[in-house]
Amino acid sequence: MSLFGYTVSMICFLINLFTIHRTLLRIATFILFLTFWLHTAAIGFSWMRYGFFPLLSMEGSLSFVAWSLSLTYLILFYRFNVGILGAFFTPLIVSLLFLSRLVPGIATPPRPSFRELWLNLHIGLSLIGDALLAVAFCAGIVYLLQESQIKQKKTRGIFRRLPALSFLDTLNYHALIVGFVMLTLGLVSGSIYAQWVRGQFFSWDPKEIWSVLTWLVYAVLLYQRITKGMRGRRAAWLSIIGFACLLFTFLGVNYLLKGYHSFR
């Protein structure tokens, strides 16, 4: 039901993007708003059904990131009235939710250690960080599109309706900061959990190695932005590169590389 609702909303956003129909934009946002609450109810129902927050499977994780992105869009819409960004957020939300339908869900109750609150905290913080860094990625994509058209003096059609470059750069910056903090807390809490369960903070598992590499990419980006004043196009490109690393760490490592980090 959530996938259907988000898909309808995405179609409305995309039609609005090319037809400039304000009523359609309000309809798209309203459908997204309703679907968000249906999605919230579905997560809550799953929590009650399994007895733990559904983050321990790839299905649940993808769904949670999609839910976080929906929440972020709604906050941006009501705070800054940037409904046009829905055309860029919803394809990502639909893709994540569609993918969650293709991967294995939770077939058996988790092992006792997996019920630990600390593990849920580690995964939850990491996934919220992933969602916010996905926002930075979207802002980077829109920034590059908008900048390219401005340089070519072709600010017509849909490009006249995109947010200003300064807004996109600021959104990218703040999403990076909060996302990086969440990602860092997720890594730290995961290391503590590993020490508790496996007796070592770091065990050179592929997931751990790629998580640290991804963290370093974002650390360099933030360092450049805060101390060197990096802005605009270069920051947007680094956000996209960082998100590619994040995507591989989140999805690729789980299926292409062997390690003890695997979703149930």
Side-chain angles (χ1 to χ4, degrees), residues 153-189:
K153 299 181 179 179
K154 293 181 179 178
T155 52
R156 298 178 180 176
I158 63 173
F159 296 102
R160 295 188 63 178
R161 305 167 58 221
L162 294 180
L165 291 179
S166 57
F167 174 84
L168 293 169
D169 191 58
T170 302
L171 175 61
N172 177 290
Y173 181 60
H174 288 293
L176 277 174
I177 288 180
V178 183
F180 182 75
V181 170
M182 291 292 121
L183 197 65
T184 303
L185 291 175
L187 284 176
V188 171
S189 58

Side-chain angles (χ1 to χ4, degrees), residues 198-230:
R198 303 177 67 86
Q200 51 188 353
F201 288 105
F202 193 83
S203 56
W204 297 99
D205 180 78
K207 185 85 169 183
E208 295 176 351
I209 294 172
W210 275 95
S211 295
V212 171
L213 290 175
T214 302
W215 184 88
L216 286 174
V217 170
Y218 282 111
V220 169
L221 171 55
L222 270 182
Y223 174 78
Q224 292 290 329
R225 293 207 65 150
I226 294 172
T227 65
K228 305 294 183 182
M230 179 191 286

Side-chain angles (χ1 to χ4, degrees), residues 12-197:
C12 293
F13 274 122
L14 291 177
I15 294 174
N16 168 73
L17 184 65
F18 294 100
T19 60
I20 314 178
H21 203 299
R22 290 190 176 278
T23 303
L24 200 56
L25 178 62
R26 286 195 288 270
I27 292 173
T29 302
F30 181 68
I31 293 173
L32 183 64
F33 178 79
L34 288 181
T35 306
F36 169 77
W37 285 110
L38 282 174
H39 194 175
T40 303
I43 292 175
F45 176 76
S46 182
W47 189 355
M48 289 188 292
R49 178 184 179 187
Y50 292 111
F52 60 94
F53 201 74
L55 294 176
L56 304 181
S57 66
M58 179 60 85
E59 177 191 16
S61 295
L62 288 167
S63 175
F64 184 74
V65 175
W67 179 87
S68 301
L69 275 173
S70 303
L71 177 61
T72 304
Y73 167 76
L74 289 171
I75 291 172
L76 288 173
F77 175 78
Y78 289 110
R79 177 67 179 84
F80 301 105
N81 193 26
V82 284
I84 196 73
L85 289 182
F88 298 89
F89 274 61
T90 49
L92 191 55
I93 293 169
V94 170
S95 299
L96 288 168
L97 213 53
F98 178 74
L99 196 57
S100 75
R101 301 295 190 267
L102 302 179
V103 297
I106 298 174
T108 57
R111 296 189 295 272
S113 62
F114 273 65
R115 294 178 182 173
E116 302 293 340
L117 176 63
W118 197 260
L119 179 60
N120 281 286
L121 181 68
H122 156 59
I123 298 175
L125 288 170
S126 301
L127 294 178
I128 291 172
D130 291 350
L132 289 168
L133 294 172
V135 172
F137 163 77
C138 288
I141 291 286
V142 181
Y143 183 97
L144 292 175
L145 287 173
Q146 182 74 309
E147 187 202 45
S148 172
Q149 295 301 308
I150 290 175
K151 282 185 175 178
Q152 298 177 34
K153 299 181 179 179
K154 293 181 179 178
T155 52
R156 298 178 180 176
I158 63 173
F159 296 102
R160 295 188 63 178
R161 305 167 58 221
L162 294 180
L165 291 179
S166 57
F167 174 84
L168 293 169
D169 191 58
T170 302
L171 175 61
N172 177 290
Y173 181 60
H174 288 293
L176 277 174
I177 288 180
V178 183
F180 182 75
V181 170
M182 291 292 121
L183 197 65
T184 303
L185 291 175
L187 284 176
V188 171
S189 58
S191 297
I192 294 172
Y193 181 79
Q195 170 65 25
W196 182 20
V197 174

